[in-house]
Amino acid sequence: MIEFTLEGVRENTIMTATTAPTTAIRPFRPEFSDEELAELRRRISTTRFPEKEPVDDNSQGVPLAASQALARYWADEYDFGRLEERLRAVPHFMTEIDGLDIHFIHVRSPHDDALPLVITHGWPGSIVEMLDVVDPLTNPTAHGGRAEDAFHVVIPSMPGYGFSAKPSETGWDVPRIARAWAELMNRLGYSRYVAQGGDWGALITEVLGAQAPDGLAAIHTNMAGALPPEISKALATNVLGAGDPAPTDLSDDERRVYDRLNFFYTKGVGYALEMGNRPQTLLGLADSPVALAAWMIDHDAWSLEDIRQAFVEKHPVGNLNRDEVLDNVTLYWLTNTGVSSARLYWENKLGFFDFKGVKVPTAVSVFPNEIYPARREWAEQAFPNLMYFHQVGEGNHFAAWQEPGIYTNELRAAFKSVRTS
Amino acid sequence: MSTITQSAVDIRPFHIDVSDAALENLRQRISATQWPENETVADQSQGVPLAAMQNLASYWASEYDWRNVESRLNALPQFMTEIDGLDIHFIHVRSRHEDALPLVINHGWPGSIIEQLKIIDRLVDPTEYGASASDAFHVVVPSMPGYGFSGKPTSTGWGPERMGRAWAELMKRLGYSRYVAQGGDWGAFVVDWMGVQALEGLAGIHTNMPGVVPADIDKASLAGEPLPDGLSADEQRAYAQLIRTYGQVEYAKMMAARPQTLYGIADSPVGLAAWLLDHNDAKGQPAGAVAAALDRSASDTDELTRDDILDNITLYWLTNTGVSASRLYWEYHGGFFNVKGVSVPVAITVFPDEQYQAPRSWAERAYPHLIYFNEVDKGGHFAAWEQPQLFSEELRAAFKTLR
């Protein structure tokens, strides 16, 4: 008889306080056991790989050489203690919101009048994406900024991600997460705050901006939902390659954006479609560390190439180096959240890049290697109260993670007018 | 002719011999599976349910015996021959009736030659199954490139058109100057493309997943547009079935775009199993017949059983062909159910639980030389596997006029 162990609640890491009221905020300490780290390493070392792809580029997915280089570094050189150490450098908390335990990092700035800021990560990201911006944002004078640039920073883990609990029923979609963040900021005593995000974090931040709860002063997005409806429709109906052609009235610049998105929709978005429809079928993400890693680094063509370079040519682009990438994958593995994180796609009913009906003042930073670079004219339509729009020089989809310096400067500049108003 | 060329067309006997170590490693991996939590729904709408997978894995690791199907396969004459630079594995069973009609049967994804195991004897030896000697076929069942024991392509280009040409070469090499071809799923694409190319010796094809959808309807259904005007009742039903099907092919979209990223189907047995189980038919996703088989330990009527399902999955595992099989989706750019332009005689059987039921009106337009069209009352996407008796009867009837 074979016994199967279910990876359930991580009792060793969650400090339960059964007598506390449900709005209590409990300290939380990330902790990984030697046994689970050894098991992870064992699994990486015994990976069974498929044969090499029959192409010389990334066009069939994560190349065998890249996944093997990743597995080799992960098993042989990666410091399995570093994730816990990095995480413990910041204060973590847990609080129950809307029936679910929500994990978050909360760092108050030494400058008391700092602007409270909630930052939301995306998929395949986590709080690891934001670890290197916490200090520059909270303690700007130590990082080339001024005291009046300071933020109090709150970085929650989305439901089903990282140390937050995994929903056991349906309904944790983007609007519900946004409402939970408003409650979180309220519970932390922030009566006036701003919000920021990319990827799912952008959707959550923008939907929060549409909900416009009391206290939300403004938002910043680095993946703006600013795709005009007629373009969005043409792209969405072309997923199987049979939709209408691009709208004919596009300018050359707009056409370039359209072509880039069309490539993503027809050649790159397969993982999102599968997660959107069959997340539970992706058992390989729970059972195989290399499968999880490959699935996660194949987010989009631009970031995959950056990460491939980091592992194969040992030439990271920006801060997105091997250790950063593996810290994030290791967190997913140790929390067994490959499938639970995928469910957010199943829950979602919103167009990734569609207008979300944002009402509050909005700031947009456009990183050049994002899935699509939002155009200012489009952003002006999407965000009636557009207070800041800036195209930066470097960076891909993982803006905060890859270019923490640029990202920090953007947030300082973007929210400047909110502080003085 | 040089000796090198001579040896390349050699047909070598082939025998399956899986090591005990490979089977033990598989059992270890299944037993050590790290599972995710339960899905957040009470049905199959998020994918293959956890409980079903855990039940299957428990049986797979502790009770299932690969050696049974290995013996059944090895009881059949199997061969290997190099075609177009690649080793092609195939089963070849000649009928004792010398004037039998040569037939090449092409499996699909997530299938293999195991789909055909229950029909071979029925086709080769019809008098044992209530049919007459004049119904006999000489049966050839190749494994597609990248599937089963065939070689895995190391360069691009092995789509259905090229496979069709390889099968024509195979039949020629076996000495069959006039033959017919049959297929469902990818096998249907391959036989359609054989028919488009009107390959030498190809007398006709039978398909159980025909490509008959008119161009304008095909485009509208792929784009998810509302029901077009002017369709008959059968056509409206087919349109609704196409729309439903295109909402259940995300796995295909993923494999078509990023097959190499699917490391989980090479490294995790349960990852592979769930991926292979999650193909839809009209009854659901996973297919109704497959879902039912997971609870069936035996069948007097040759319906699908749990062992059948695991035979197929285990073959994929042991040959490590999860990813190589997926590449066929990447290679293909020819459309799913659209009209391909077949010129040879075509026979069609419409099974009720197939992804869509091809209307006769469309079939007559799609295949100018339609020699047979029949709607049967049971069976689905894996027709030969699910309903071997009915399927065999269909092939006998379908090809009668081509003998």
Side-chain angles (χ1 to χ4, degrees):
Chain A
M1 185 61 197
I2 305 300
E3 294 291 332
F4 294 100
T5 23
L6 280 168
E7 265 285 305
V9 176
R10 305 173 47 78
E11 288 170 301
N12 59 326
T13 56
I14 297 173
M15 294 186 185
T16 40
T18 47
T19 54
T22 56
T23 58
I25 292 172
R26 297 162 272 146
F28 173 81
R29 181 177 158 90
E31 185 176 342
F32 307 118
S33 72
D34 290 345
E35 290 73 25
E36 59 190 334
L37 294 173
E39 171 64 6
L40 167 56
R41 194 168 170 182
R42 183 194 71 76
R43 284 178 182 260
I44 302 164
S45 303
T46 55
T47 299
R48 189 176 79 155
F49 288 92
E51 67 290 345
K52 183 192 176 305
E53 64 284 355
V55 293
D56 295 324
D57 54 27
N58 300 347
S59 65
Q60 289 200 349
V62 179
L64 182 68
S67 64
Q68 288 186 327
L70 181 150
R72 201 158 41 236
Y73 183 80
W74 201 2
D76 298 343
E77 294 183 55
Y78 176 73
D79 172 6
F80 280 93
R82 58 169 271 134
L83 175 61
E84 190 179 274
E85 193 179 314
R86 284 187 81 197
L87 290 172
R88 287 186 181 179
V90 291
H92 297 254
F93 303 91
M94 196 74 85
T95 192
E96 187 184 320
I97 302 179
D98 199 2
L100 204 71
D101 261 348
I102 298 296
H103 159 265
F104 61 100
I105 293 168
H106 180 204
V107 183
R108 279 191 64 87
S109 170
H111 307 287
D112 267 339
D113 55 351
L115 183 62
L117 164 68
V118 55
I119 306 178
T120 311
H121 67 83
W123 186 95
S126 67
I127 54 168
V128 168
E129 289 180 79
M130 314 305 167
L131 290 179
D132 292 334
V133 297
V134 171
D135 207 52
L137 291 172
T138 55
N139 193 15
T141 54
H143 298 270
R146 298 168 306 161
E148 56 266 37
D149 292 323
F151 295 93
H152 300 307
V153 172
V154 178
I155 308 173
S157 298
M158 295 193 289
Y161 286 69
F163 300 111
S164 280
K166 299 167 186 174
S168 56
E169 54 193 37
T170 61
W172 273 100
D173 58 4
V174 165
R176 186 166 173 185
I177 297 173
R179 288 193 295 273
W181 284 189
E183 166 59 22
L184 176 62
M185 294 306 272
N186 185 44
R187 202 173 285 182
L188 291 171
Y190 294 130
S191 57
R192 186 169 182 276
Y193 62 92
V194 295
Q196 198 285 329
D199 194 84
W200 283 114
L203 272 75
I204 288 163
T205 300
E206 291 179 28
V207 167
L208 187 64
Q211 294 169 349
D214 286 348
L216 180 67
I219 65 167
H220 174 274
T221 172
N222 56 282
M223 193 184 85
L227 200 58
E230 67 277 11
I231 296 180
S232 179
K233 179 174 181 297
L235 289 164
T237 57
N238 199 33
V239 166
L240 289 167
D244 292 327
T248 51
D249 55 347
L250 301 181
S251 68
D252 287 352
D253 280 355
E254 289 172 336
R255 179 63 198 226
R256 269 190 289 278
V257 176
Y258 179 90
D259 288 345
R260 195 150 131 181
L261 274 169
N262 198 40
F263 170 76
F264 179 72
Y265 272 74
T266 56
K267 297 288 183 195
V269 81
Y271 68 88
L273 297 176
E274 181 65 14
M275 294 195 291
N277 287 272
R278 314 298 292 169
Q280 193 70 30
T281 296
L282 296 167
L283 297 183
L285 304 186
D287 191 35
S288 164
V290 168
L292 177 66
W295 189 262
M296 290 172 65
I297 68 175
D298 200 11
H299 177 271
D300 63 272
W302 300 274
S303 64
L304 170 61
E305 177 54 19
D306 286 353
I307 294 169
R308 190 199 65 79
Q309 283 183 31
F311 282 99
V312 176
E313 288 148 38
K314 302 184 177 63
H315 186 269
V317 181
N319 189 51
L320 203 50
N321 58 44
R322 293 182 290 183
D323 288 335
E324 288 280 353
V325 170
L326 289 175
D327 283 349
N328 186 48
V329 180
T330 301
L331 179 63
Y332 270 71
W333 177 266
L334 294 172
T335 53
N336 192 5
T337 47
V339 171
S340 55
S341 65
R343 279 201 198 94
L344 181 52
Y345 288 81
W346 187 91
E347 291 284 353
N348 182 50
K349 297 158 209 74
L350 303 168
F352 292 134
F353 311 117
D354 291 350
F355 297 1
K356 303 297 186 301
V358 176
K359 300 189 189 88
V360 302
T362 303
V364 174
S365 295
V366 178
F367 287 75
N369 297 323
E370 180 54 271
I371 294 172
Y372 90 107
R375 300 185 48 72
R376 181 189 289 269
E377 313 87 89
W378 295 352
E380 285 167 352
Q381 292 174 52
F383 307 109
N385 202 343
L386 185 68
M387 60 177 187
Y388 179 88
F389 183 95
H390 187 221
Q391 174 134 18
V392 304
E394 310 275 345
N396 67 23
H397 180 73
F398 302 101
W401 204 13
Q402 185 175 47
E403 297 293 346
I406 296 174
Y407 172 92
T408 300
N409 285 339
E410 284 300 297
L411 263 55
R412 289 174 185 160
F415 288 123
K416 194 173 289 288
S417 63
V418 178
R419 296 171 192 264
T420 53
S421 65
Chain B
M1 197 179 268
S2 74
T3 51
I4 293 170
T5 315
Q6 194 68 37
S7 68
V9 301
D10 277 354
I11 293 174
R12 293 118 54 196
F14 179 82
H15 186 83
I16 300 167
D17 187 14
V18 172
S19 72
D20 289 339
L23 296 175
E24 182 50 32
N25 181 264
L26 169 58
R27 276 191 290 270
Q28 279 172 8
R29 284 176 181 262
I30 300 166
S31 303
T33 299
Q34 173 170 297
W35 297 96
E37 67 292 343
N38 203 61
E39 61 278 3
T40 57
V41 291
D43 56 25
Q44 303 179 345
S45 63
Q46 289 189 348
V48 187
L50 182 69
M53 286 307 304
Q54 290 185 328
N55 284 338
L56 185 70
S58 174
Y59 176 78
W60 196 10
S62 57
E63 295 180 59
Y64 171 77
D65 186 359
W66 159 260
R67 296 300 183 195
N68 290 336
V69 73
E70 187 180 285
S71 301
R72 286 168 67 205
L73 285 166
N74 280 334
L76 295 166
Q78 297 173 81
F79 305 90
M80 198 73 89
T81 192
E82 187 184 318
I83 301 178
D84 200 0
L86 202 69
D87 262 348
I88 299 297
H89 163 264
F90 62 102
I91 296 167
H92 179 205
V93 186
R94 277 189 67 86
S95 171
R96 60 194 164 89
H97 307 289
E98 274 305 317
D99 56 350
L101 182 63
L103 165 68
V104 56
I105 308 178
N106 195 137
H107 67 84
W109 185 95
S112 66
I113 53 170
I114 285 171
E115 289 180 77
Q116 269 73 52
L117 286 184
K118 296 177 204 165
I119 60 170
I120 292 174
D121 203 47
R122 287 179 162 92
L123 296 173
V124 169
D125 204 2
T127 56
E128 292 294 307
Y129 296 87
S132 65
S134 57
D135 290 321
F137 295 93
H138 300 306
V139 173
V140 178
V141 186
S143 298
M144 293 195 288
Y147 286 71
F149 298 103
S150 281
K152 298 170 186 174
T154 55
S155 57
T156 61
W158 274 102
E161 304 91 328
R162 187 169 171 185
M163 286 187 197
R165 291 194 294 275
W167 292 179
E169 167 61 21
L170 175 61
M171 295 304 272
K172 185 179 174 191
R173 205 173 280 182
L174 293 172
Y176 296 131
S177 58
R178 184 172 180 277
Y179 64 93
V180 293
Q182 199 287 325
D185 195 83
W186 278 107
F189 292 2
V190 172
V191 297
D192 259 358
W193 286 105
M194 291 175 81
V196 171
Q197 299 174 86
L199 297 163
E200 188 187 347
L202 181 67
I205 65 172
H206 175 273
T207 170
N208 53 290
M209 197 183 83
V212 303
V213 183
D216 55 330
I217 305 288
D218 188 50
K219 184 173 184 299
S221 60
L222 284 164
E225 290 171 14
L227 186 69
D229 293 333
L231 300 185
S232 71
D234 280 1
E235 293 166 351
Q236 289 182 22
R237 180 184 63 186
Y239 191 83
Q241 291 170 330
L242 290 168
I243 293 286
R244 187 208 61 236
T245 293
Y246 293 141
Q248 295 176 319
V249 294
E250 290 74 20
Y251 68 88
K253 191 69 198 155
M254 181 65 200
M255 295 194 289
R258 319 296 292 162
Q260 191 70 29
T261 296
L262 294 166
Y263 288 91
I265 62 177
D267 188 35
S268 165
V270 300
L272 174 67
W275 191 257
L276 295 180
L277 284 172
D278 211 10
H279 189 293
N280 72 312
D281 71 1
K283 289 274 186 68
Q285 186 179 15
V290 170
L294 298 182
D295 295 323
R296 190 182 292 126
S297 56
S299 170
D300 293 337
T301 53
D302 274 342
E303 286 183 291
L304 279 179
T305 66
R306 188 168 55 179
D307 277 358
D308 288 333
I309 303 297
L310 286 175
D311 289 344
N312 184 55
I313 294 169
T314 306
L315 176 66
Y316 271 78
W317 175 266
L318 294 171
T319 53
N320 194 1
T321 47
V323 171
S324 55
S326 302
R327 286 210 184 87
L328 180 51
Y329 288 83
W330 187 91
E331 289 286 351
Y332 185 60
H333 307 285
F336 290 97
F337 307 117
N338 56 326
V339 178
K340 312 286 191 305
V342 176
S343 55
V344 302
V346 175
I348 293 173
T349 304
V350 177
F351 289 86
D353 298 336
E354 181 52 276
Q355 292 178 317
Y356 87 111
Q357 288 167 275
R360 181 191 287 268
S361 54
W362 290 352
E364 286 171 347
R365 286 157 63 190
Y367 298 109
H369 200 158
L370 188 66
I371 58 170
Y372 181 87
F373 182 94
N374 191 31
E375 292 176 324
V376 295
D377 62 0
K378 58 184 175 181
H381 183 71
F382 303 98
W385 209 17
E386 296 173 35
Q387 297 294 338
Q389 180 62 26
L390 174 59
F391 189 84
S392 302
E393 287 164 8
E394 281 301 297
L395 293 198
R396 291 172 196 144
F399 287 125
K400 199 168 282 291
T401 60
L402 294 182
R403 290 173 188 267

